Amino acid sequence: MLKNDLFLRAARGEATERTPVWLMRQAGRILPEYRALRARLSGFKELVETPELAAEVTIQPIDALDVDAAIIFSDILVVPDAMGLPYEMVEARGPLFPTTIKSAADIDKLRIPDPEDGLGYVLDALRITKKALNGRVPLIGFAGAPFTILAYMIEGHGSKTFSKARGFLYKEPVLAHRLLAKITATTIAYLQAQVAAGAQVVQVFDSWAGILPPAQYTEFSARYIAEITEALAPLVPVTVFAKGAWWAVPEFAATPCRTIGLDWNQDPAQVRLQAGNKTLQGNLDPCALYGTPEQVKAATEAMLRQFAGGPHIANLGHGVYPDTNPDNVRVFVETVKAWRG
Ligand SMILES: Cc1c2[nH]c(c1CCC(=O)O)Cc1[nH]c(c(CCC(=O)O)c1C)Cc1[nH]c(c(CCC(=O)O)c1C)Cc1[nH]c(c(C)c1CCC(=O)O)C2
């Protein structure tokens, strides 16, 4: 039994007494207790791959920020890792893949792993977290969208343009689809296993959606997200967050996802018109949290007003930036909780 099921009810499209709130990347470097734990370890991967520690870090923001949902501490890059393409997390630089996908042979070598084998550490973290939460708040599972995962597998690291990955779509469309199909199969099995391990909502992050032209987005990304939502929606409510893909809202609305995530470039009122009865999630600019507490409160209230007229889960328009003052995050959370729109 959940003591606080506001997030879950909003994610199902049900009415709630107040708007639930959580933050993308709430578990991480904004919290001193995260940085302290992280400093004792060899690196990010050790934290992600040690279920007891991942569970501890997942719960930190529930204690520190009093948010209405927990998101399992992991990364979208565990999927390519389990498929046979390991990543490294380079301090202060971000992810790096020592080998990348270049050919049909590279794609054929990739596994579609049994989640309990290749990703058992995430499933263990979910099971431990679920037990430790003891029903305080719902637990969110997640995975990257196949296109965003392909972008890292081909590019090998973060990039402003992802020109190698985008070039691959033009030069090798057949291979791109072969790779996307393999990532999609892995992701569906992985998310189903996350649900079996205790995830009550799953979110698909298409962080690099905005780098594709709309027609290519439909062909190389949205259709695979649709497949994932069709496989998962019978089990739990599914959230789709595609950063920068404002044009794709009608496509997501046609899938069985329950919630659509908005980044801060999107106009909530306009999205409402396109999204039917879906729940909307978002979308405060993470930079709004750099202001004074009064400014944070005003910006949060302005955001809440824009979402009037339908189910809403308050969040930022992307992950919280690591140099954000946690006190301002608490102002954001408290402002949402006090709001009766
Ligand atoms: C694109 C992407 C990645 N990872 C993720 C995405 C999709 C969401 C988004 O667009 O932000 C998803 C992710 N990564 C992490 C979470 C944890 C759960 C949560 O939201 O609180 C989630 C949901 C932890 C993390 N993932 C990472 C950290 C920082 C690592 C550290 O502790 O040094 C954390 C807490 C590392 C990471 N992981 C990734 C990058 C580009 C980086 C480096 C940039 C950075 O440092 O923030 C890939």
Side-chain angles (χ1 to χ4, degrees):
M1 270 294 285
L2 276 169
K3 297 175 188 97
N4 172 356
D5 66 351
L6 285 166
F7 167 79
L8 196 55
R9 280 192 281 139
R12 290 183 186 133
E14 296 166 15
T16 50
E17 308 79 85
R18 66 162 174 84
T19 304
V21 55
W22 68 283
L23 290 85
M24 291 186 275
R25 295 286 186 100
Q26 64 191 14
R29 287 166 298 180
I30 57 161
L31 295 177
E33 47 273 53
Y34 171 87
R35 293 198 300 271
L37 198 158
R38 177 79 166 65
R40 291 195 272 117
L41 306 174
S42 63
F44 176 76
K45 264 190 125 166
E46 185 185 352
L47 179 49
V48 164
E49 292 172 6
T50 310
E52 293 74 18
L53 298 180
E56 182 180 336
V57 167
T58 300
I59 294 172
Q60 283 174 350
I62 315 307
D63 296 326
L65 308 172
D66 208 16
V67 284
D68 294 311
I71 179 161
I72 190 66
F73 186 81
S74 184
D75 201 89
I76 61 169
L77 302 178
V78 300
V79 164
D81 198 283
M83 292 177 76
L85 207 69
Y87 72 94
E88 295 166 6
M89 200 57 81
V90 184
E91 219 48 58
R93 294 218 26 219
L96 177 74
F97 286 86
T99 51
T100 56
I101 298 295
K102 298 184 191 70
S103 65
D106 295 339
I107 297 169
D108 293 341
K109 263 189 279 174
L110 294 171
R111 293 186 287 277
I112 298 176
D114 175 342
E116 287 289 353
D117 289 341
L119 292 155
Y121 57 90
V122 183
L123 305 176
D124 287 340
L126 281 158
R127 287 185 275 259
I128 295 169
T129 304
K130 188 72 175 283
K131 212 165 161 207
L133 277 173
N134 193 24
R136 282 172 73 188
V137 289
L139 180 56
I140 306 170
F142 72 89
F147 169 70
T148 286
I149 299 300
L150 169 145
Y152 281 107
M153 286 173 125
I154 290 177
E155 199 78 28
H157 46 75
S159 157
K160 274 198 181 125
T161 58
F162 277 93
S163 51
K164 256 193 229 164
R166 290 202 292 125
F168 193 83
L169 302 186
Y170 287 97
K171 292 188 297 183
E172 300 289 356
V174 174
L175 290 188
H177 281 299
R178 202 193 296 175
L179 177 54
L180 289 163
K182 266 187 139 164
I183 300 168
T184 302
T186 302
T187 302
I188 288 173
Y190 176 44
L191 288 174
Q192 287 170 334
Q194 289 191 39
V195 173
Q200 289 152 296
V201 168
V202 294
Q203 176 158 329
V204 179
F205 286 90
D206 207 355
S207 306
W208 296 108
I211 65 178
L212 292 184
Q216 236 185 10
Y217 187 73
T218 300
E219 183 186 347
F220 291 103
S221 191
R223 59 182 273 194
Y224 295 102
I225 291 176
E227 262 186 60
I228 294 169
T229 62
E230 281 152 23
L232 271 296
L235 306 177
V236 287
V238 180
T239 301
V240 174
F241 173 65
K243 177 140 188 349
W246 49 269
W247 64 82
V249 169
E251 279 184 76
F252 299 143
T255 75
C257 80
R258 253 308 315 146
T259 298
I260 297 176
L262 280 67
D263 64 43
W264 66 87
N265 293 123
Q266 286 173 283
D267 172 10
Q270 204 180 336
V271 176
R272 278 257 187 257
L273 295 176
Q274 300 175 308
N277 66 352
K278 304 287 189 196
T279 300
L280 303 186
Q281 177 170 277
N283 77 339
L284 188 70
D285 183 348
C287 291
L289 299 182
Y290 290 145
T292 63
E294 294 72 28
Q295 287 171 324
V296 172
K297 183 167 185 275
T300 304
E301 288 178 343
M303 183 270 291
L304 288 162
R305 270 192 288 278
Q306 292 185 296
F307 279 92
H312 177 213
I313 295 164
N315 205 312
L316 303 182
H318 198 185
V320 62
Y321 297 140
D323 59 350
T324 304
N325 182 344
D327 287 336
N328 275 358
V329 176
R330 283 186 273 269
V331 173
F332 168 69
V333 170
E334 283 159 17
T335 304
V336 176
K337 289 186 170 181
W339 177 257
R340 296 291 180 273

